[in-house]
Amino acid sequence: MRTFFRYLSLVLLLTCAMVFAGCGNASPTGEEKEIVLAAGRDLSPGEKDPYYSTVILKTWESLVGISDDGKVMPMLAESWESNAEKTEWIFHLKKGVKFHDGVSFDAHAVCENFYRVTHMGYKPSSFYGYLVSRIYPGLVRYEADDDYTLHLYFERPVPMLIYRMAGWGSAMFSPASFDRETGDFTKIAAGTGPFQIIDRKADDYTLLSRFDGYHGEKAKAKRIRIRVITSAEARYSAMRSGEVQGVLDLGGLTPMMVRELMRTGDFSVDSAHSTISHYLSVNGGRFPFSDERMRRALDLAIDREKIVKYYFAGFGTPTRSFLNSTNPFSRPEPPVYDPAEAKALAREVLGDARCEVKFLLPQYGAERYPYKVISEFLQAELKDLGLDVKIVMVDGLTSRKMMKEGDYDLAIGTRGLGNLDPTSLLREFFHSDGATNLASHFCYANPKIDAAFDALTHTYEIEDRQVLYHEIREELLLHPAVIPLLEDENLAVCSKKITGYHAAVYGITLDKVAWKE
């Protein structure tokens, strides 16, 4: 009997040990549990990228920010002013801010960031390539007036500086995390955002952790893992299975996939006006689109309302304006659909003949957006204009090469806004010597638009500049160079098990995301 009790005591001890061991390895609950989101590309390209990671991960902040609804707002700079000539700008910096590595944010750190960007030359990016002269044209010098005051001096007026700096243009990083000569990061970039990157594997995942030393409201979630899942179908399946709790970034899910998820009742969907616009590039250097009448016919022949309704599931705004209306200097331009006038213009160009046109379908775009069905829709619609569309799917590099060589007629693609100053974007596309105009073989030359850009160089008042931007937009409606289709919507799709997941102009409200209690 004594032996039996000894045996029973041993069994009880072993059982308790197993129970307590199990408690030590129990799955974390509440804020401790990791949230997993999916993106179609690596949102933290790493050391060679000028930003290290995208702004939507909220790991870094800028001097001048962009609000969730797309407006300029103070961020690391609390306020600013300029002289009357707009050649000197003074920024008053926020106090009590630390980078993730413990380095203090102050005017010295900002000057180190300016040293970096003025010495590193052009740096390509997965997001927006960085060249200091694009953001700070004619920058002569930068200096600290005191510990929390930055002074910038320019050789000529820069009236749009604040709009140029907003968001990507004035990103700040700890000087201890980058090489000030090359601009490369020497370790994980240390910003001042509500999240910090604690681990990453290229093209696989980025692991974010809440930065408890954040100067503002702390992030709700303790850890968020951003997985790279390149296939939209795989992201959709991962959402259905519960493998991931949400998707983010451009074209996270096609609108049709979003609609299917909504029908299950297990997912929440929020949308916000996006800075992304979809448009057709047009080769103005060869027949038939070298004739402006055919470009006007193309503009009138496309039923943009139908594209948004059937292929974007209503998530979008049909427009004829190239400049996205999230920009403070633009506005939506309602589409005009007039197939009869389009046919008449096309007949003036082609007569009774038909013309084969080469339509480039970039593979990267087709993976994010319903471009394949849209191109097939356009193929059918343009037959009535006497155009026989040949769709050619190519990779991104080949697409850019063919466009530069003029070996195409039409191509579909997207364009976003790197900052809130429309000048450089519009000039790049529509000035007679604009970089994209030349590189994409638009062959567009409009004397009135060139004159408007010349006038912008010595127009300093914002209201007067608005008039010139309006003149450019009006000329593009009358004499199209490219064919805008629609403005996109940013779709934030998540499991109903999490909360705070809302769409913003850029990304989602990541710092508000948390498990539901």
Side-chain angles (χ1 to χ4, degrees):
M1 180 68 71
R2 186 176 298 171
T3 303
F4 171 76
F5 280 115
R6 285 177 181 170
Y7 174 76
L8 183 59
S9 299
L10 180 61
V11 169
L12 289 171
L13 285 170
L14 289 171
T15 301
C16 289
M18 291 173 65
V19 168
F20 285 116
C23 290
N25 294 321
S27 297
T29 58
E31 70 167 19
E32 299 292 325
K33 186 179 177 183
E34 186 175 277
I35 293 174
V36 183
L37 308 177
R41 57 177 174 167
D42 193 342
L43 298 184
S44 297
E47 290 78 8
K48 298 292 184 181
D49 191 276
Y51 317 99
Y52 195 94
S53 61
T54 175
V55 68
I56 69 177
L57 297 187
K58 296 187 181 292
T59 60
W60 55 263
E61 296 174 309
S62 46
L63 294 177
V64 182
I66 299 177
S67 65
D68 287 342
D69 59 354
K71 303 293 192 302
V72 167
M73 71 174 191
M75 189 166 271
L76 292 176
E78 291 186 319
S79 62
W80 48 80
E81 68 260 5
S82 72
N83 62 358
E85 294 76 24
K86 309 295 183 184
T87 56
E88 293 184 31
W89 289 81
I90 295 175
F91 295 83
H92 303 283
L93 308 179
K94 183 171 286 190
K95 299 176 182 177
V97 177
K98 296 281 188 181
F99 291 102
H100 299 152
D101 57 6
V103 173
S104 294
F105 169 79
D106 55 20
H108 169 74
V110 175
C111 286
E112 284 295 292
N113 274 269
F114 270 91
Y115 185 96
R116 170 186 179 244
V117 298
T118 54
H119 285 74
M120 69 186 186
Y122 175 73
K123 266 202 173 301
S125 171
S126 302
F127 314 113
Y128 295 98
Y130 194 100
L131 182 64
V132 71
S133 61
R134 291 179 182 171
I135 310 298
Y136 306 92
L139 179 63
V140 175
R141 71 181 190 276
Y142 48 87
E143 59 188 30
D145 288 347
D146 57 42
D147 288 347
Y148 291 97
T149 307
L150 173 73
H151 205 142
L152 301 182
Y153 298 84
F154 295 87
E155 64 184 10
R156 58 183 181 273
V158 190
M160 300 295 289
L161 181 64
I162 300 305
Y163 295 95
R164 288 171 178 262
M165 292 175 66
W168 303 89
S170 56
M172 292 288 116
F173 303 96
S174 168
S177 66
F178 59 73
D179 184 307
R180 66 201 300 260
E181 301 292 342
T182 67
D184 293 344
F185 291 97
T186 55
K187 54 184 177 181
I188 291 177
T192 61
F195 286 108
Q196 59 184 320
I197 298 173
I198 59 172
D199 190 20
R200 67 174 284 271
K201 183 177 179 181
D203 298 315
D204 190 356
Y205 67 86
T206 297
L207 183 58
L208 305 176
S209 177
R210 179 173 61 212
F211 177 41
D212 289 325
Y214 185 56
H215 57 90
E217 183 180 348
K218 307 294 187 291
K220 303 299 183 186
K222 186 169 184 178
R223 286 197 178 188
I224 296 180
R225 184 180 297 268
I226 311 294
R227 286 187 50 198
V228 180
I229 303 177
T230 56
S231 163
E233 288 78 12
R235 292 193 293 276
Y236 174 80
S237 297
M239 286 285 288
R240 290 295 299 262
S241 68
E243 184 182 342
V244 302
Q245 284 76 56
V247 293
L248 71 170
D249 196 32
L250 304 176
L253 291 172
T254 67
M256 295 306 177
M257 290 176 179
V258 171
R259 179 168 285 181
E260 288 301 312
L261 288 177
M262 291 172 67
R263 287 174 179 162
T264 68
D266 297 327
F267 301 92
S268 298
V269 179
D270 188 38
S271 65
H273 206 136
S274 165
T275 64
I276 297 297
S277 294
H278 302 264
Y279 69 100
L280 295 179
S281 294
V282 180
N283 185 347
R286 73 180 185 185
F287 189 80
F289 296 112
S290 54
D291 192 312
E292 184 186 292
R293 291 172 296 177
M294 187 58 80
R295 298 199 298 272
R296 288 166 49 208
L298 182 63
D299 184 33
L300 294 169
I302 296 174
D303 191 340
R304 296 166 173 87
E305 298 274 4
K306 189 175 289 186
I307 290 174
V308 170
K309 180 177 180 180
Y310 293 109
Y311 305 122
F312 280 84
F315 294 111
T317 304
T319 187
R320 293 178 69 219
S321 176
F322 175 78
L323 185 60
N324 191 291
S325 62
T326 57
N327 187 279
F329 299 93
S330 187
R331 67 184 183 192
E333 193 64 48
V336 176
Y337 177 53
D338 190 341
E341 177 64 16
K343 288 180 188 177
L345 286 167
R347 188 174 181 82
E348 289 179 15
V349 178
L350 297 177
D352 294 325
R354 301 192 65 81
C355 182
E356 182 176 282
V357 297
K358 184 183 291 187
F359 188 111
L360 295 187
L361 176 58
Q363 192 169 6
Y364 69 87
E367 290 170 352
R368 293 180 179 177
Y369 302 106
Y371 280 175
K372 187 174 186 299
V373 290
I374 290 173
S375 61
E376 291 167 351
F377 167 75
L378 294 175
Q379 183 181 50
E381 292 291 288
L382 298 184
K383 283 183 178 179
D384 288 344
L385 299 188
L387 301 177
D388 298 317
V389 176
K390 178 183 178 183
I391 301 170
V392 181
M393 181 175 282
V394 291
D395 61 67
L397 184 62
T398 302
S399 173
R400 288 189 292 274
K401 181 181 178 182
M402 292 176 69
M403 292 176 74
K404 187 173 183 179
E405 294 174 348
D407 184 19
Y408 83 108
D409 296 294
L410 299 172
I412 191 167
T414 60
R415 184 72 192 195
L417 298 172
N419 59 59
L420 298 181
D421 176 12
T423 314
S424 56
L425 175 62
L426 291 174
R427 193 185 194 287
E428 175 186 326
F429 270 72
F430 307 120
H431 193 279
S432 56
D433 65 3
T436 301
N437 185 7
L438 299 176
S440 298
H441 232 262
F442 297 158
C443 302
Y444 188 71
N446 185 317
K448 289 186 178 180
I449 287 180
D450 285 357
F453 282 118
D454 291 341
L456 282 167
T457 62
H458 52 79
T459 301
Y460 309 139
E461 295 302 322
I462 298 300
E463 294 78 9
D464 296 333
R465 295 180 69 87
Q466 179 71 280
V467 172
L468 291 169
Y469 295 133
H470 176 72
E471 289 179 8
I472 292 170
R473 294 197 310 268
E474 288 297 307
E475 278 298 305
L476 290 171
L477 292 175
L478 294 171
H479 310 285
V482 301
I483 308 299
L485 299 175
L486 69 142
E487 296 180 1
D488 207 349
E489 286 193 18
N490 184 19
L491 300 178
V493 189
C494 71
S495 164
K496 287 187 175 179
K497 294 179 180 179
I498 61 176
T499 186
Y501 202 96
H502 299 295
V505 166
Y506 283 105
I508 63 167
T509 53
L510 195 65
D511 54 329
K512 305 295 189 296
V513 174
W515 290 104
K516 284 186 176 177
E517 296 180 357

